Amino acid sequence: MARVHPNASAGATPPKAGLVKQLRASLQRLRHTERLQRALFDIADMAGSASDMQSLLSGLHRSIAQLMYAENFFIALYNPQHDTLRFIYFVDEVDGELYHPDQEFTAAELQNSITVGMIRHGKPMRGSSLQITTALGLDRHHNVGSPSIDFMAVPMRRDGQVYGVLAVQSYQKGRGYSQSDQDVLAFVAEHVLNAVERKMGQEALERRVTERTRELAQVNARLQEQVQERERAAHLQSTLYRIAALSHEQISSKEFYHSLHQAVGELINVENFYIALKSADNRWLDFPYYVDELGGRIGQRPLGRGMSEYAMRCAQTVLLSDTEISQLIARGEVHAATYGEPAVCWLGAPLTGTQGVIGVVVVQSYRTNLHFTRQDADLLTFVSYQIAATLLRRQQDQALQALNIQLEQRVRERTIELQHQIAVREHVQQQLQHQVMHDPLTRLPNRVYVRDQLEIALARQKRQADSQFALLYLDVDRFKLFNDGLGHQVGDRVLQEVAIRMADCVRSPDILGRLAGDEFSIVLVDCRQPADACQVAQRIQARMQEAIEIAGRRLYVSLSIGIAMGQGYHCSVDELLHDADTALYQAKAAGRRCFVMFDANVHDTATNVLDVEQQLRVGLETGQFVPYFQPIVRLADTRVVSFEALIRWFHPDKGVLGPDLFLPVAEKTGLIEALDWHIYDKVCQVVPSFLGADQVINLNLSPHHFHGQDFASRFLELLSFHQIPFKQVCAEVTESSLLSDPVAAARILGTLNKAGIQVALDDFGTGFSSLSHVHQFPLNSLKIDRSFISQLGSGQPSRSAAIVSAVIGLARALNIRMVAEGVETVSQRDHLIAMGCERAQGLLYGSAQPAEHWQLQNHPGGFLPGGEGAEPHKPTGHP
């Protein structure tokens, strides 16, 4: 391939207004990039936050609305196992209440909807709802939802399976979506899916924890009730025990009854309390203890029809109000004279012994605000048993002790159960915290955890000046090629294997984490010298030299590493991460597979690369890149047989720039494919105006194209669209570009060759295993590198002539055309003719010129005389 000479003529500088427009476009592009990065950070932060699902979804909506028009936005999750979907978030100015987040539909129910169509289709789509309906083969008369002017949706995929759809739509003219919006939405979709699934898992776990907590609370409440019941029972038992114990104490009758009064007073109100006992002859009623707030004392009276006798006749506890007492008096059951002072409430329990009722224990109230309850009656009944059955007290005491033992055992068992349940809950909480702080794919600490550890390290360094640490920022080289070319599943396996190998190279105190995508970090907790960090980086680089076998392929993966030492001037984790990221960027700029220690020069260089990247993006948007064409002639008669298309940048400030000044940055930043397709389209637009029917246009293929699945079909479609005959197209590849994935390269080049497109091997002799490439790939011509041609005719002894002669003989034997690059002098031309070389390209026959130049030349028969000029510099592998 030809290269642009540094002295190439400069293009006209656009007027000032155009420059301002370009700068505004650049500023808008920068703001868009910033909004995209901020949105991705917001999505990651929201996924790890404690907010609920609807708050997360609303936050996702706001983040996407910062990137594009998203007034009408929905997220639909698809369950492949049950073939159902649910619109977990749906905001629409026309169909606002069409779906409920908890409502689940079968795919059959919505089979004619665009959402189900997108899930089946599995690729991003953009256009009006009518256009998408037609493209998906749906019945537009039975569509679900209102038709929109512009609709854009992307599938949310993982491991090749669609798990949902992310969509925005517009009902307003002038509010539509571009390919850039579609690319952004597709890029954000995977992050949204990860965030939603993580939040759903978190909420599910929280629901399980909440349900378990509620169950534990209910069990605890029941246990508390049981404990309270046992406490009341224990209190009653204690009182009864005290009453029973009184009968064994050596105290007087007065002390005995007084202690009995106090014991009963712990259970019920005993302001008015007395005990009445039958005399041995059943003629008298004795009152051994009598306390009454109205005063007075009864020692003994004949048995009659008093309230005490009534309770004894009933042989059960009696609870009566003043009304009920009046009714008893009215019926003659009780004599008023014997009853005494009327009470508001009267409670009496018979004392029953082995011979029947022997007496009664009574409490009574003269106050209207004090009434005894049935529970009080039951308590007094228990007390009456204790007083009457002194002989059975030992047995009752033994039963009480057994009941206490049983109660204590139950309490211990329940305590053990509660301790176990608490331990289970703590374990669940620990699992939840681990999931929040770790990456589910590699099981490494995630960005949140790494940032926490860096905060700790910075704080420790501020407290202890001798505390040193280092941060390694690692990135998998060309990971996008693995992920896009071989599938996300292979990409995930690559990341897992990289994580395992890196873990083998760090010590136990150090922290290895995955920040995002193919980015990793290592925090060297105790790193005294930069050399120690470099040794770790060297170990990792050496460990990664072994091939990774995945899905029947041997993949060679390398890492670029940026190293930043923790310094006292680092005020925040973001500053430290920025320094490490800057060093990483410089490592990639140095050719990858290396590590760079951060310094000020690294920062300045990375800033320059970022500037060029932004200018490249603006140049693509504003059409600053154009194709130039250099002729390839037949040496026998100088007839032009083909043109090689070469890229030039009409920079608004620097004039016409050759590819060596910007293609390296395009390679590193992933813009090379966009540049290629832009030039392919431009070439197809202009070559019909000057390309003869028997002439060929040569297009250079970047090695990045060999990692895509659809390059060949897309390339052929482009040529067909512009009506460029396949036989008039030659695809040029370099030897080094074939090494990235020889199997894919052979497949793609074979497809193009079968369609009629010629294939040329450029810069022949400078790569690896040149001869093996000649028979491994479908080649039609060889272009021997200019380094061999430059020494022909110099008059100095050189092996170049022998090498060129051998290559010409090889090409003739294999029936492959031979093209000599870099022919600049008549002497070189004469030597090549003498050796039998058929075709040449170089300064002698013309430099690369725009299409207008060749349209005006209009040479009869396509003949060119030997000319002068500077052959532009052409970097290997790129147009």
Side-chain angles (χ1 to χ4, degrees):
M1 286 181 287
R3 305 175 183 268
V4 174
H5 195 276
N7 297 325
S9 60
T13 303
K16 183 175 182 180
L19 177 59
V20 172
K21 181 179 180 181
Q22 293 172 8
L23 291 175
R24 286 176 177 173
S26 176
L27 179 59
Q28 183 179 2
R29 192 65 179 171
L30 285 171
R31 288 174 176 171
H32 178 75
T33 302
E34 181 183 3
R35 289 197 302 270
L36 176 58
Q37 292 175 348
R38 187 184 303 115
L40 294 179
F41 280 122
D42 290 343
I43 291 173
D45 291 338
M46 287 185 289
S49 69
S51 60
D52 58 18
M53 176 61 75
Q54 285 305 312
S55 298
L56 169 66
L57 296 177
S58 298
L60 294 177
H61 186 185
R62 289 193 298 271
S63 298
I64 292 175
Q66 296 175 4
L67 305 175
M68 63 190 68
Y69 177 73
E71 289 298 321
N72 307 288
F73 171 77
F74 71 83
I75 302 175
L77 291 185
Y78 175 64
N79 186 332
Q81 290 183 325
H82 301 94
D83 196 25
T84 59
L85 69 157
R86 184 161 58 92
F87 294 84
I88 62 171
Y89 189 80
F90 190 92
V91 175
D92 194 282
E93 58 188 349
V94 177
D95 300 327
E97 302 295 331
L98 187 59
Y99 302 108
H100 190 274
D102 297 327
Q103 189 176 8
E104 189 171 36
F105 301 91
T106 64
E109 291 177 316
L110 301 177
Q111 61 180 350
N112 208 50
S113 68
I114 293 179
T115 305
V116 173
M118 282 293 303
I119 291 172
R120 306 297 192 218
H121 182 63
K123 295 181 180 179
M125 296 195 73
R126 175 169 55 87
S128 68
S129 58
L130 178 59
Q131 291 173 337
I132 294 178
T133 298
T134 303
L136 294 176
L138 304 176
D139 184 357
R140 63 181 183 178
H141 298 294
H142 295 85
N143 274 354
V144 179
S146 301
S148 58
I149 294 176
D150 202 355
F151 181 91
M152 181 172 66
V154 296
M156 295 188 292
R157 308 172 65 94
R158 187 180 64 254
D159 302 333
Q161 173 65 51
V162 176
Y163 287 95
V165 171
L166 199 66
V168 292
Q169 56 184 329
S170 172
Y171 299 100
Q172 303 178 21
K173 291 185 178 180
R175 284 291 184 91
Y177 305 100
S178 64
Q179 180 63 40
S180 175
D181 293 332
Q182 179 176 311
D183 295 340
V184 169
L185 194 62
F187 181 71
V188 172
E190 182 178 354
H191 296 271
V192 172
L193 177 61
N194 291 337
V196 170
E197 288 185 341
R198 181 181 298 178
K199 181 60 65 177
M200 292 176 66
Q202 178 182 350
E203 289 191 347
L205 182 58
E206 290 176 351
R207 285 195 299 271
R208 291 196 295 271
V209 171
T210 301
E211 292 174 359
R212 190 58 180 163
T213 303
R214 184 169 57 253
E215 292 175 359
L216 290 175
Q218 293 174 352
V219 171
N220 185 60
R222 290 195 296 269
L223 182 60
Q224 292 293 335
E225 293 177 357
Q226 294 176 4
V227 170
Q228 292 176 0
E229 184 64 28
R230 295 297 187 274
E231 289 177 349
R232 287 193 295 269
H235 188 198
L236 173 61
Q237 292 169 356
S238 175
T239 302
L240 297 178
Y241 177 78
R242 287 175 55 194
I243 294 173
L246 290 174
S247 61
H248 303 288
E249 294 181 3
Q250 300 298 320
I251 56 177
S252 64
S253 297
K254 181 178 180 180
E255 292 174 337
F256 168 75
Y257 287 116
H258 180 72
S259 299
L260 184 63
H261 183 193
Q262 290 180 332
V264 176
E266 295 181 5
L267 302 176
I268 58 177
N269 188 293
V270 289
E271 294 177 354
N272 305 286
F273 174 84
Y274 69 86
I275 295 175
L277 299 174
K278 287 182 179 180
S279 63
D281 56 3
N282 290 329
R283 294 176 58 189
W284 299 90
L285 188 63
D286 296 325
F287 295 88
Y289 189 78
Y290 190 95
V291 174
D292 194 275
E293 62 182 323
L294 298 180
R297 178 174 178 80
I298 302 176
Q300 187 183 61
R301 66 171 178 81
L303 282 171
R305 286 200 169 266
M307 288 295 297
S308 301
E309 290 88 338
Y310 174 77
M312 289 188 287
R313 289 198 303 272
C314 292
Q316 62 183 11
T317 302
V318 175
L319 176 59
L320 299 171
S321 65
D322 55 350
T323 302
E324 293 172 328
I325 295 173
S326 299
Q327 292 174 353
L328 290 176
I329 295 175
R331 293 199 305 267
E333 294 286 344
V334 175
H335 293 168
T338 308
Y339 168 50
E341 189 67 28
V344 174
C345 186
W346 191 92
L347 174 61
L351 301 176
T352 304
T354 57
Q355 303 298 322
V357 177
I358 61 173
V360 64
V361 55
V362 176
V363 292
Q364 52 187 335
S365 170
Y366 300 108
R367 293 183 291 156
T368 56
N369 60 348
L370 175 60
H371 294 268
F372 300 112
T373 64
R374 178 52 56 185
Q375 184 177 9
D376 296 332
D378 295 338
L379 290 174
L380 191 61
T381 301
F382 290 140
V383 171
S384 67
Y385 294 156
Q386 293 297 331
I387 297 174
T390 56
L391 296 177
L392 300 177
R393 192 61 58 203
R394 184 178 297 274
Q395 296 179 0
Q396 293 176 353
D397 182 54
Q398 293 175 350
L400 178 62
Q401 291 179 359
L403 184 59
N404 285 333
I405 293 173
Q406 182 181 1
L407 177 61
E408 291 174 359
Q409 178 63 27
R410 181 56 179 165
V411 170
R412 285 195 296 269
E413 291 175 356
R414 294 301 299 163
T415 302
I416 294 173
E417 291 179 6
L418 282 175
Q419 291 174 346
H420 175 70
Q421 292 168 355
I422 292 172
V424 170
R425 180 180 179 183
E426 291 176 349
H427 178 67
V428 171
Q429 290 175 338
Q430 292 173 355
Q431 286 183 325
L432 178 60
Q433 184 178 11
H434 184 274
Q435 292 177 357
V436 171
M437 303 294 285
H438 286 73
D439 170 48
L441 177 64
T442 61
R443 301 186 182 278
L444 295 177
N446 59 14
R447 176 180 290 273
V448 176
Y449 185 88
V450 172
R451 288 183 65 91
D452 288 346
Q453 295 304 310
L454 288 174
E455 292 280 7
I456 294 173
L458 285 174
R460 182 169 57 248
Q461 189 179 60
K462 293 184 183 302
R463 294 192 307 268
Q464 304 172 4
D466 60 342
S467 177
Q468 301 295 325
F469 70 98
L471 172 63
L472 276 65
Y473 206 140
L474 308 98
D475 183 87
V476 180
D477 296 332
R478 302 183 306 161
F479 177 72
K480 188 175 187 299
L481 301 180
F482 296 116
N483 212 32
D484 296 346
L486 303 178
H488 292 288
Q489 186 173 6
V490 173
D492 289 346
R493 287 284 294 112
V494 168
L495 293 178
Q496 290 172 338
E497 182 62 26
V498 167
I500 292 173
R501 294 188 180 188
M502 286 193 296
D504 296 338
C505 301
V506 297
R507 303 166 301 177
S508 57
D510 300 331
I511 302 164
L512 169 62
R514 181 188 180 197
L515 299 182
D518 61 335
E519 297 178 356
F520 296 84
S521 68
I522 299 176
V523 181
L524 302 179
V525 176
D526 185 14
C527 184
R528 299 288 179 178
Q529 301 293 334
D532 298 335
C534 294
Q535 289 179 357
V536 175
Q538 290 172 346
R539 287 201 302 270
I540 294 174
Q541 297 283 17
R543 184 71 175 85
M544 295 306 301
Q545 290 181 0
E546 303 174 15
I548 299 176
E549 296 189 4
I550 299 176
R553 293 176 178 264
R554 289 175 60 83
L555 304 177
Y556 290 90
V557 180
S558 63
L559 298 177
S560 297
I561 306 174
I563 305 174
M565 298 296 296
Q567 302 293 345
Y569 58 77
H570 288 130
C571 298
S572 67
V573 172
D574 290 331
E575 291 182 3
L576 181 61
L577 287 171
H578 178 269
D579 290 351
D581 186 48
T582 301
L584 171 64
Y585 201 93
Q586 185 65 13
K588 285 187 169 293
R592 302 186 178 95
R593 199 189 296 267
C594 64
F595 61 88
V596 171
M597 181 70 68
F598 173 80
D599 59 26
N601 293 331
V602 171
H603 179 268
D604 295 341
T605 302
T607 302
N608 293 335
V609 172
L610 288 174
D611 291 340
V612 175
E613 177 187 357
Q614 294 305 317
Q615 294 175 24
L616 283 172
R617 296 184 184 277
V618 174
L620 270 173
E621 291 181 355
T622 57
Q624 297 175 8
F625 297 94
V626 297
Y628 271 39
F629 302 90
Q630 185 178 28
I632 301 174
V633 303
R634 189 166 57 201
L635 286 174
D637 54 6
T638 68
R639 177 182 176 83
V640 178
V641 293
S642 61
F643 292 90
E644 181 177 359
L646 304 166
I647 188 171
R648 296 292 183 270
W649 184 2
F650 276 74
H651 196 281
D653 298 325
K654 302 177 182 178
V656 180
L657 302 181
D660 57 326
L661 299 178
F662 59 87
L663 281 186
V665 176
E667 288 274 4
K668 296 163 190 171
T669 58
L671 293 174
I672 184 63
E673 292 187 62
L675 284 174
D676 281 353
W677 285 110
H678 175 79
I679 290 301
Y680 294 160
D681 186 68
K682 291 291 185 182
V683 169
C684 291
Q685 292 177 26
V686 299
V687 292
S689 64
F690 65 85
L691 191 68
D694 57 347
Q695 292 177 331
V696 175
I697 183 68
N698 289 30
L699 296 173
N700 293 279
L701 303 188
S702 167
H704 290 266
H705 296 306
F706 296 142
H707 300 285
Q709 298 294 328
D710 61 345
F711 171 76
S713 60
R714 183 180 175 185
F715 188 74
L716 295 175
E717 288 176 3
L718 178 66
L719 296 177
S720 300
F721 177 79
H722 290 283
Q723 298 181 352
I724 306 297
F726 294 166
K727 66 179 181 179
Q728 288 188 258
V729 178
C730 177
E732 288 194 18
V733 294
T734 61
E735 295 181 89
S736 58
S737 67
L738 299 177
L739 294 177
S740 60
D741 193 341
V743 176
R747 173 177 53 81
I748 291 174
L749 294 178
T751 302
L752 297 179
N753 193 251
K754 288 180 182 179
I757 293 176
Q758 303 176 38
V759 179
L761 182 59
D762 197 11
D763 297 340
F764 183 75
T766 62
F768 302 96
S769 305
S770 298
L771 293 179
S772 66
H773 294 156
V774 173
H775 72 83
Q776 184 179 358
F777 299 98
L779 302 177
N780 301 100
S781 61
L782 297 177
K783 299 183 73 174
I784 190 166
D785 187 68
R786 60 187 299 147
S787 61
F788 300 106
I789 305 302
S790 63
Q791 301 182 31
L792 295 179
S794 63
Q796 300 294 328
S798 172
R799 296 182 180 180
S800 296
I803 295 174
V804 173
S805 179
V807 174
I808 293 173
L810 173 65
R812 185 180 297 112
L814 296 176
N815 195 24
I816 297 176
R817 288 188 297 272
M818 170 69 183
V819 179
E821 289 188 300
V823 180
E824 300 178 353
T825 66
V826 175
S827 177
Q828 293 172 353
R829 178 198 65 188
D830 294 342
H831 274 77
L832 290 170
I833 293 175
M835 292 177 184
C837 182
E838 298 177 353
R839 301 183 178 188
Q841 175 183 2
L843 172 149
L844 185 64
Y845 297 101
S847 62
Q849 299 293 336
E852 295 80 3
H853 172 82
W854 300 110
Q855 293 167 1
L856 295 174
Q857 288 292 320
N858 193 21
H859 292 286
F863 293 96
L864 280 177
E868 296 182 356
E871 182 182 6
H873 181 68
K874 178 185 63 178
T876 301
H878 301 298

